Each structure stands twice: as structure tokens, then as C-alpha cells.
Amino acid sequence: MGWKTLDDMELAGKRVLVRVDINVPVEEGRVTDTTRIDRIVPTIRDILAAGGLPILLAHFGRPKGKVVPEMSLRVTLPALEAALGQKVTFVERPDPAALGSLPEGAVVLVENTRFSPMEEANDLAMAQFLASLGDVFCNDAFSAAHRAHASTTGVAHLLPSCAGRLMQAELSALESALSTPTRPVGAVVGGAKVSTKIALLENLVGKLDLLVIGGGMANTFLAAQGAQLGASLQEPDFIDTAKAIMAQAENTGCRILLPVDGLVAREFKAGADHEVVALGPDTVLAADQMVLDAGPQSVKAVTAAFADLKTLIWNGPLGAFEIPPFDQATNAAAADAARQTKAGTLVSVAGGGDTVAALNQAGAAKAFTYISTAGGAFLEWMEGKELPGVAALAA
């Protein structure tokens, strides 16, 4: 662990710049999901308890370097104040002198960092200006750590820096799941397309004992074995890629588990008529048939494989989980992983894309050891890439 935490910093009487991610969903001027806000509360409270002044830096939406009033962070103030149980001072144009005169116990939220084109350019002048506002930099935005921006990496090189509580939890969970896991270790990787997860799969097969592939991705792997899957979502251009990944897995001793049966329908809609069809190299579906979920025998194989694991990483659903009955495999496998986690026999870490929504829908998320709210950063970590925001803390 090459990065410091809040416990390593002297915060009393210090202005603490805290990069957070409160890029939350908003409808009609109200925050509709406070999860990301709730998760930064421990960091802010610990800074206050240590006598520091938290100055929150964050982005909201994609204003592309321009001031866009409807993307002002002001909209998050009521939810932020409710989560903290106190008033928050909102500052459009921060001034070091004004910040220094705020009373002890104050919390400051600075306007959207992306209102300036210098933010995403990681402009040194903006990083220097931000550094002038604080004495210490604390990055608590793992979900933005894959971006080299002025407020994530630039300022980290100019001030004593550390990870906040959320960043600390994310990094610790991911390191224990992939960098130094208790073996055997496996992963569920699902979703629509192989093309979006090539780097992820190539990295994982060199590190895992088991790789469960689901969703539309599994169709491409089955097609690579010879299956003819009709109208199923698949990527013919990536059949050779799937073959190469399977060959790599064989060389590294990683077992790949593909569906052995599936729920097959002729319509992509909730409640569509469907049948369970065996899947394998010899499968031939009609031109209008499509696999929309893994079948019951596949679920049995997955849960049996889970029983042999000590660590599980989960990214993506096993089928079209948004529409019943094609959510069955995801729900059943997630429930089994949750049961084993509760029993203390499995460490389970999940994140990225639709994963959180799928596990919440399955009622399994709360039982997992750790659920990451990061999307792109979680995937890039799993791909084995260096995240600029994390690297800057270790510099």
C-alpha cells in the first residue's frame, strides 16, 4: 500500500481539499439517489473531528469546460446538508483568504471543477490555484481516479496527499480481491459485448482460477466453439478474440465456465414466451431465436463452482436482467454468492456498469463484502491499468 490515509496526516487547523464524486442523478432539481453523497460522509466527518476544514472539489455532468447553469453543484446542497446534518457553504469562485476566515466546523463545496477547460486538461495553472486553497489534499473519488485532471492528479503533486475513507475502502477491497486474493479466486464477467471487455478478460485469465462468462458475451464465446445462435446478441468480428482468450486461459490454468443451457425467446420483451435450450458447440437455433438468459443447469454449474472459491469478483449480469423472466440466472447466482458471503466462506467484491443495479435488483448487494460505485475506474483497475489518481497519491 503505497498511499497515505487520513490517519497519516496532521489535519488540525488545516484546510483540506477533498476531491469527491457527487455526480448524482437529479430529476426536476432534486437528487434522486444519494448513494455517492452518503459514501463521502465518513471522510468529511473524520476531517472535522480532527480539526480540519473540508473544502470539497467535485464535477457534475459534462459541461465541457463551460459554465452550464443546469450543471451547477448547487443542486446537490440540500442532499449534502441532509447527509451531514449541517449547513454547507457553497462557493462559486473560491478565494484563499475568504476560506481561511471560515469558522471551525464549516464545510465548503466549490462549484463544478469542469466549468473550466483547464480541469480536464490537467492544466498546471489550475492545479496550482487549487493547491493555493488548501494545506492538504485528500482524494476520496476513486470513481474519477482513472482521469488525469487538475483536481484528481495535478493538485496531488503539489500538496501533501492522502486517500479518503471511501478511496481507502475501494483500494483495500480491490487489492484484496485481485492483487493479493485468498485463492481460489474467480470472477463473473457478463454484459453485452466482448469488444468492450477484451483488456479485462485478457488480464483476468492470467490471474484467476475460474472465469464465469455470461450475457451476450457468452454467445460470442459459444459461437467461437461452433454454436449457431440465430438472432442472439453476438459479435462475429470477435470470434477470433474469444478463441484467443480461451487458449490463453488454458495455458494459465484458468477454467472458463460458459452457459450449458439458456432461456431462448423470439421476442425481446418482458414475459416473452420462452423455452430452455441446451447450449454447446452443436447448438443450432432458428434465425429468429435468441438466448436471453442462462438456464437452470448453467446456474447449478455456477453455484457449484462458487462453492470452491474463497474470493469472487463480479462485473456484469448473466442475462437480460432488466426484463423478467430473463433475470433469473443473475438473481439466483447473486443470491448464492450473497449466501456464501454471509456464511463467511467467500469474499465478494463487485462493481462497474450495470452490476450494482443487477445485484440490488437481486437483493444481494448488501450481503456482498464490498460494492464499488465506480464504473470506468473499477474496470480499468481490473484490466490491470495504472489509475492516474491513485498513482498520484503514491508519488
Side-chain angles (χ1 to χ4, degrees):
M1 188 176 78
W3 30 271
K4 294 180 178 179
T5 72
L6 287 171
D7 301 318
D8 300 311
M9 313 303 285
E10 176 54 58
L11 303 178
K14 302 288 181 66
R15 296 166 300 162
V16 185
L17 290 181
V18 190
R19 180 54 163 95
V20 295
D21 182 1
I22 50 175
N23 192 22
V24 290
V26 170
E27 290 179 15
E28 298 179 357
R30 293 174 60 89
V31 174
T32 57
D33 183 345
T34 63
T35 302
R36 285 184 167 178
I37 289 174
D38 296 337
R39 284 195 158 190
I40 65 170
V41 169
T43 293
I44 297 170
R45 286 189 173 152
D46 282 359
I47 292 169
L48 289 171
L53 169 67
I55 302 168
L56 310 184
L57 306 175
H59 72 278
F60 187 71
R62 296 181 176 175
K64 298 182 178 179
K66 297 178 181 178
V67 176
V68 181
E70 55 267 33
M71 294 184 190
S72 170
L73 277 168
R74 195 182 292 273
V75 73
T76 67
L77 272 179
L80 185 57
E81 290 177 338
L84 288 171
Q86 71 172 79
K87 291 289 291 181
V88 174
T89 302
F90 183 74
V91 179
E92 287 186 6
R93 294 178 178 82
D95 172 67
L99 292 174
S101 65
L102 287 168
E104 186 176 339
V107 177
V108 177
L109 174 63
V110 177
E111 182 58 285
N112 195 338
T113 57
R114 291 187 184 173
F115 277 2
S116 168
M118 301 166 79
E119 160 73 327
E120 294 188 68
N122 193 15
D123 190 291
L124 177 60
M126 180 169 178
Q128 289 173 330
F129 171 72
L130 293 175
S132 75
L133 304 176
D135 305 299
V136 173
F137 175 66
C138 170
N139 194 338
D140 209 28
F142 176 76
S143 52
H146 59 314
R147 306 297 188 205
H149 293 171
S151 70
T152 59
T153 62
V155 69
H157 292 294
L158 302 174
L159 290 175
S161 300
C162 68
R165 298 305 186 204
L166 177 56
M167 174 77 88
Q168 180 182 349
E170 293 264 9
L171 293 176
S172 297
L174 294 181
E175 285 190 349
S176 66
L178 197 55
S179 302
T180 55
T182 302
R183 305 193 84 97
V185 58
V188 172
V189 179
K193 297 180 178 181
V194 173
S195 56
T196 60
K197 295 188 177 179
I198 294 172
L200 171 64
L201 294 169
E202 289 176 339
N203 185 47
L204 290 181
V205 293
K207 297 185 175 183
L208 301 177
D209 302 297
L210 170 75
L211 176 58
V212 177
I213 298 178
M217 295 174 57
N219 297 333
T220 301
F221 278 82
L222 288 166
Q225 294 180 334
Q228 298 176 44
L229 299 180
S232 301
L233 179 63
Q234 52 193 307
E235 294 179 287
D237 291 347
F238 289 89
I239 282 177
D240 286 344
T241 302
K243 288 179 179 177
I245 289 169
M246 287 189 284
Q248 184 187 347
E250 192 166 341
N251 289 336
T252 59
C254 174
R255 176 190 173 203
I256 290 183
L257 190 57
L258 295 172
V260 294
D261 62 347
L263 272 57
V264 172
R266 286 180 161 84
E267 293 180 283
F268 185 82
K269 71 173 188 180
D273 288 339
H274 62 279
E275 58 183 313
V276 177
V277 175
L279 298 177
D282 300 325
T283 301
V284 179
L285 298 183
D288 62 344
Q289 287 184 301
M290 55 188 130
V291 182
L292 295 179
D293 195 15
Q297 294 306 313
S298 300
V299 172
K300 282 185 180 179
V302 169
T303 55
F306 283 176
D308 295 329
L309 298 179
K310 295 295 183 185
T311 305
L312 176 68
I313 305 162
W314 192 304
N315 174 250
L318 297 178
F321 78 98
E322 307 93 337
I323 53 172
F326 309 111
D327 56 352
Q328 291 181 55
T330 301
N331 291 350
D336 186 76
R339 179 187 60 76
Q340 292 195 48
T341 305
K342 279 184 181 176
T345 59
L346 186 68
V347 172
S348 52
V349 176
D354 291 332
T355 306
V356 179
L359 296 181
N360 278 330
Q361 182 176 298
K366 289 183 179 177
F368 268 56
T369 307
Y370 192 80
I371 298 279
S372 172
T373 55
F378 181 88
L379 285 174
E380 290 196 18
W381 178 280
M382 288 179 64
E383 288 168 3
K385 295 178 180 176
E386 181 178 79
L387 305 186
V390 176
L393 295 181

